[in-house]
Amino acid sequence: MVQKIIIDTDPGQDDAVAILLALASPELQVLGLVAVAGNVPLALTELNTRKVVELSGRTDVPVFAGCDRPLSRDLVTAEHVHGKTGLDGIDLPEPTLPLQAQHGVDFIVETLRAHDAGTVTLVPIGPLTNIAEAFRRAPDIIGRVQQIVLMGGAYFEVGNITPAAEFNIYVDPEAAAEVFASGVPLVVMPLDVTHKALTDRAWIEAMRALPGRCGPAVAGWTDFFERFDTAKYGSVGAPLHDPCTIAWLLHPDLFEGRHINVEIEVDGRWTTGMTVADWWRVSGRAPNALFLKDVDRDALFDMIHDRIARLP
Ligand code: BDR
Ligand code: CA
C-alpha cells in the first residue's frame, strides 16, 4: 500500500536529498511539501523547496510556505552549515513551480481532515513550528495523524547547535515539547543515527556519475556539506540527517532503536532544546517515541543511490 506523507522542511542540502529520495519512491505519495523557517529564513526555504521539486521533475507536488518564525522565540539559523542560500553547492535556476497561496499550516490541517484518520504521516525535517501550530489551530487533527517521523534530537551525541541541543529541536523547543506531548506515535531520528549516516568519496563520485541532473546535484550539495562537518568533527563525509526519515519509511529494518520516553527541555539554563531521552528507562515515564540509535550505513547509502538514479 502506498504511504501518504507530508514533508515539512527547511532546505538545507540534507533536506534536499530527503525530498528527492521521497519523490523517487513509488511506495510514498507526497501530498505536499511545507516549508518552515529554520536553516535559513522562510523566504529561502520555500524557494529552495520549489527548486528541489522542480529539479526532480515532480512539479505535480504542491509546495506551501508555513511559519516564518518559531512559536515564541526569535529564529536561529544555520548559514554557517548550509551556506548563505541554505542550499549552497550548486546553482539551480529560479523555479517556475509556483508557491501555493494557501498557508502551509492550513494545508496540513485541511489534508488531515480530508483523508481517512490514521492514513497520513507527517515527516518534519526542520523545526517543529508548523506541526505544533497546526495542532494548536485544529486539535481535532491530532488523533488523525498516523505517525510523525521526524529528524531531531540526540542522546548519546548530545548536541550540535549547543553542547546540549540538536538544531531542529533547539530552534523551536516549545513546538517540539507540544509535539512530543501530543500523543501521536513518534519516530525520532536523532544525531545518534545521523552522525553514522556519513557520505564517503566513492558514493559522492557515484552520484556525480549518474546520467541525469539529480545525481550530480546531490554530489554538489554533499560536497559542500562535507566541508563543514569535516572541519567541525574531523569526520570524513557529510551526515545525511534528514534522508534517514524517508529511509525509515521505506526500510525500517535498516534501523534499530527503543520505544522510550523523550521530553523536551524548554527552560534549561544551559540545556534548552535538549531531548531528555530515557534510553535506560529509569524515569518510569510512559514511552512516547521510537528513538533510533543505529543504522546499516552501507545499505542506506546503496538504497539512496538506487533511488536517486531513477530521477531525471
Ligand atoms: C538538522 O538541522 C539541519 O541543519 C539539518 O537540515 C537537519 O535537519 C540536523 O541537526
Ligand atoms: Ca532540515
Side-chain angles (χ1 to χ4, degrees):
M1 213 184 63
V2 175
Q3 170 69 65
K4 291 181 279 192
I5 65 171
I6 296 172
I7 300 177
D8 194 276
T9 180
D10 63 338
Q13 293 85 354
D14 60 319
D15 299 72
V17 179
I19 293 167
L20 292 184
L21 178 62
L23 293 176
S25 297
E27 303 94 325
L28 303 176
Q29 182 187 357
V30 183
L31 300 175
L33 292 123
V34 184
V36 67
N39 288 323
V40 284
L42 183 68
L44 286 170
T45 59
E46 68 84 355
L47 177 69
N48 291 344
T49 306
R50 288 187 291 131
K51 285 182 176 176
V52 175
V53 172
E54 191 144 316
L55 181 77
S56 77
R58 289 291 310 280
T59 49
D60 54 303
V61 181
V63 175
F64 301 81
C67 298
D68 65 359
R69 69 185 64 129
L71 294 180
S72 54
R73 292 174 191 257
D74 291 338
L75 178 65
V76 175
T77 54
E79 285 88 353
H80 61 293
V81 183
H82 300 275
K84 198 162 62 350
T85 67
L87 206 50
D88 282 19
I90 56 159
D91 287 330
L92 288 172
E94 279 300 298
T96 57
L97 179 70
L99 182 68
Q100 298 292 312
Q102 187 181 30
H103 193 284
V105 169
D106 292 330
F107 167 74
I108 293 171
V109 170
E110 199 171 274
T111 305
L112 283 161
R113 285 179 177 159
H115 292 262
D116 289 344
T119 64
V120 175
T121 287
L122 302 178
V123 186
I125 51 178
L128 288 158
T129 317
N130 290 338
I131 311 301
E133 180 61 25
F135 289 179
R136 283 183 176 192
R137 276 189 209 176
D140 60 289
I141 66 169
I142 297 173
R144 304 182 68 81
V145 180
Q146 183 174 15
Q147 61 187 341
I148 297 176
V149 183
L150 68 94
M151 191 280 138
Y155 179 65
F156 296 95
E157 291 281 301
V158 195
N160 63 352
I161 186 74
T162 74
E166 181 279 331
F167 180 79
N168 288 343
I169 305 296
Y170 178 77
V171 171
D172 200 343
E174 285 76 18
E178 291 181 23
V179 169
F180 276 71
S182 68
V184 175
L186 300 178
V187 177
V188 178
M189 204 57 79
L191 296 179
D192 308 313
V193 173
T194 68
H195 279 173
K196 294 169 185 147
L198 297 174
T199 57
D200 64 24
R201 227 352 72 199
W203 186 85
I204 293 177
E205 293 314 325
M207 296 303 294
R208 202 187 314 281
L210 286 174
R213 54 182 189 255
C214 289
V218 170
W221 291 326
T222 46
D223 264 345
F224 180 88
F225 208 31
E226 182 179 17
R227 265 175 253 149
F228 172 80
D229 273 78
T230 302
K232 183 167 180 185
Y233 300 108
S235 58
V236 179
L240 292 191
H241 305 285
D242 295 340
C244 289
T245 56
I246 302 297
W248 185 86
L249 284 166
L250 297 169
H251 274 292
D253 49 303
L254 298 184
F255 298 87
E256 277 177 31
R258 292 184 183 179
H259 282 102
I260 58 168
N261 178 270
V262 182
E263 303 292 338
I264 309 297
E265 180 59 81
V266 289
D267 49 22
R269 182 175 172 207
W270 303 106
T271 54
T272 299
M274 187 173 195
T275 40
V276 181
D278 187 8
W279 184 259
W280 304 111
R281 299 192 176 111
V282 292
S283 71
R285 292 189 286 265
N288 60 349
L290 172 58
F291 195 86
L292 296 157
K293 179 167 180 283
D294 286 304
V295 60
D296 180 340
R297 184 261 169 215
D298 292 348
L300 171 74
F301 277 84
D302 285 350
M303 179 181 64
I304 298 174
H305 174 275
D306 293 350
R307 300 292 171 125
I308 302 294
R310 299 174 185 178
L311 291 172

